[in-house]
Amino acid sequence: MFKQSIHSRTLSLVAAAITSAWMLVAPAQAQDIQVGFNADQSGTAVAELGIAARHGFDLAIEDINKAGGVLGRKLVGVIRDDTGAPPKSIQNMTELLDSEKVVAVVGPANSGNALAWLHLPQQRKIPVIVPVATATDITRRYAGEPQNFIYRISMVDREQVALLLAYAVKATKNQKIAFIADSTGFGQQGVKDLTEVLAMHGQKPVAVEKFGPKDTDMTSQLAKIRDAGADTVVVYGLADANAQLLRSMEKINYFPITLGTWGNMSTPLLNIAGKKLSEHIIFATSTAEDSNPRAVALAARVRERYPQMPTFVAAAQAYDSMMLLAAAIKQAGTTDGAKVAASLDDGVPDTQGIIKLYKKPFSKAEHDALSVSDFNLARWKDGKVVSYADAITKAMTPADLKK
């Protein structure tokens, strides 16, 4: 309510004009196609990926609308920040599906949040494309249902392990590879995957150590790995703890080949370890800012909105998610969720994304558009994440990517 004042008559007239104007544009807005975006943009370290993903999502919508929209209608993004908290993420999804009536959702950033609300879009037959979260089970939970509405364009945990170990077995000089992981479920599941995949290469780790996610001194664990003779180490932890690991390596002057997952592109690694040490860890990614001309162009656009962006890969994956979603709606000729999902499953027309040209990226049996063959290695260089290549990566073949 407006407070009464000497300006009350003027304010009343303004309010009436606004209401009248809204009524004139409401029918046009009702024709817009609303797509939800639900991801952490403020609550945890993963928010860096959520923010980058949001900008990739927004820019894809801009490009689609400039090209005429979808089915002659404008796409509109409906943004929600889940702050990294499952209850908030569930609330956001309920609002997007029930109140906003979105036709699809892109998100989230946190795997735990996705696993908390997957049942909601599945029950309502609303397609979801996950652009960040990596837990393997996300796209598999409803694989046995008549129709699975959960898709992904992101890294997948097991696939990252396949790439890291394919490199490790080629890079090691003495065939002595060690693992070190945080003590959380994330880290210990990583050790399980690492052990199983390394066994496919006919090897066993010479040492397996762990650390608390808040530990700042890992010199004792590293000394044991060093004494076991390991010249290659795979670390499974989040960026802030991994930065402390690098600092511990510096303390004992032990610098083996060090590999990790894509979470290492978050700025806590850079801020805690510093530029020089950060460059020592090599990690998996689906793309980098310098991977191809499309990536270079999108990175420049995202940086206009998000100058400190460290996680370009999330922007690229969200951009590609929207492009494939738009292609599926066009092919279906409708925004009906079941028909859009069927279009995704049957194979949308070839769609050029930032990461690659997508040729039938999904099927009824496969809802992950990216696999280990799409992944690359990257590292920090001069404060930015860039592609990493050497004689080993150039010589690797699909046969090397056992999993």
Side-chain angles (χ1 to χ4, degrees):
M1 296 290 293
F2 289 112
K3 291 182 179 180
Q4 294 298 318
S5 71
I6 59 173
H7 302 294
S8 58
R9 178 174 174 79
T10 300
L11 291 173
S12 297
L13 291 172
V14 171
I18 292 172
T19 302
S20 177
W22 180 87
M23 292 176 65
L24 289 173
V25 299
Q29 291 178 333
Q31 298 303 311
D32 293 342
I33 297 174
Q34 295 200 133
V35 179
F37 180 87
N38 183 26
D40 183 9
Q41 296 159 70
S42 65
T44 71
V46 178
E48 292 186 345
L49 288 90
I51 294 169
R54 174 188 173 172
H55 291 310
F57 171 84
D58 287 341
L59 289 170
I61 288 177
E62 284 184 15
D63 290 348
I64 292 164
N65 286 338
K66 285 179 183 177
V70 180
L71 306 181
R73 298 159 65 186
K74 179 182 176 182
L75 286 180
V76 175
V78 184
I79 309 297
R80 292 290 186 275
D81 179 1
D82 69 19
T83 70
K88 179 62 174 175
S89 204
I90 293 170
Q91 178 187 338
N92 288 351
M93 285 300 292
T94 301
E95 292 176 359
L96 289 170
L97 298 173
D98 294 345
S99 301
E100 300 292 347
K101 305 297 183 183
V102 299
V103 303
V105 175
V106 173
N110 307 68
S111 291
N113 289 0
L115 295 170
W117 54 244
L118 290 181
H119 62 288
L120 297 175
Q122 180 69 22
Q123 289 170 356
R124 291 163 175 77
K125 299 182 178 181
I126 298 296
V128 169
I129 301 185
V130 178
V132 179
T134 60
T136 304
D137 288 346
I138 288 173
T139 54
R140 298 184 182 179
R141 176 181 287 180
Y142 298 110
E145 296 291 319
Q147 196 167 17
N148 179 6
F149 288 85
I150 315 301
Y151 302 81
R152 173 164 46 196
I153 300 179
S154 184
M155 309 289 286
V156 183
D157 286 345
R158 182 85 171 196
E159 306 284 301
Q160 293 186 75
V161 167
L163 174 62
L164 295 173
L165 288 181
Y167 182 86
V169 298
K170 297 283 187 181
T172 178
K173 302 298 183 185
N174 61 10
Q175 304 305 301
K176 292 186 176 182
I177 300 170
F179 306 148
I180 183 167
D182 71 34
S183 56
T184 68
F186 166 72
Q188 295 311 297
Q189 178 61 48
V191 169
K192 181 176 182 292
D193 288 341
L194 286 164
T195 303
E196 291 175 355
V197 175
L198 187 59
M200 295 179 185
H201 291 277
Q203 297 187 34
K204 294 181 179 180
V206 296
V208 178
E209 294 291 329
K210 64 181 177 181
F211 55 84
K214 299 300 182 182
D215 289 354
T216 58
D217 187 348
M218 293 82 156
T219 53
S220 175
Q221 297 96 315
L222 287 169
K224 293 176 183 178
I225 290 173
R226 179 195 59 197
D227 293 346
D231 70 349
T232 303
V233 174
V234 182
V235 55
Y236 224 95
L238 299 181
D240 51 353
N242 295 349
Q244 300 293 353
L245 183 77
L246 291 173
R247 294 179 67 180
S248 296
M249 287 181 175
E250 186 177 44
K251 289 178 184 177
I252 62 172
N253 194 30
Y254 171 56
F255 288 104
I257 296 168
T258 306
L259 307 169
T261 61
W262 77 321
N264 289 291
M265 66 181 67
S266 294
T267 55
L269 187 88
L270 187 69
N271 295 337
I272 297 171
K275 286 185 179 181
K276 184 69 174 179
L277 274 179
S278 296
E279 293 178 5
H280 187 70
I281 191 166
I282 302 166
F283 44 85
T285 184
S286 64
T287 192
E289 293 185 44
D290 61 347
S291 291
N292 58 56
R294 299 180 304 278
V296 172
L298 181 67
R301 294 173 66 193
V302 174
R303 283 195 180 279
E304 290 181 4
R305 305 180 181 201
Y306 186 18
Q308 302 304 316
M309 175 189 65
T311 47
F312 169 73
V313 61
Q317 289 170 179
Y319 186 98
D320 288 4
S321 296
M322 273 307 307
M323 287 298 179
L324 283 174
L325 180 61
I329 294 173
K330 288 178 183 178
Q331 178 166 273
T334 176
T335 58
D336 177 79
K339 292 180 180 178
V340 172
S343 179
L344 288 168
D345 288 346
D346 292 342
V348 297
D350 290 357
T351 302
Q352 182 64 65
I354 301 300
I355 298 169
K356 67 175 184 176
L357 175 64
Y358 294 88
K359 296 184 176 183
K360 297 184 183 296
F362 302 116
S363 67
K364 191 171 179 60
E366 181 55 75
H367 279 205
D368 280 302
L370 302 178
S371 68
V372 64
S373 61
D374 297 306
F375 299 162
N376 306 286
L377 295 176
R379 67 167 176 167
W380 286 95
K381 187 69 175 176
D382 298 325
K384 291 185 178 181
V385 174
V386 300
S387 299
Y388 178 82
D390 59 13
I392 296 170
T393 61
K394 293 173 183 176
M396 285 170 59
T397 68
D400 295 319
L401 302 176
K402 298 179 182 178
K403 55 179 178 175

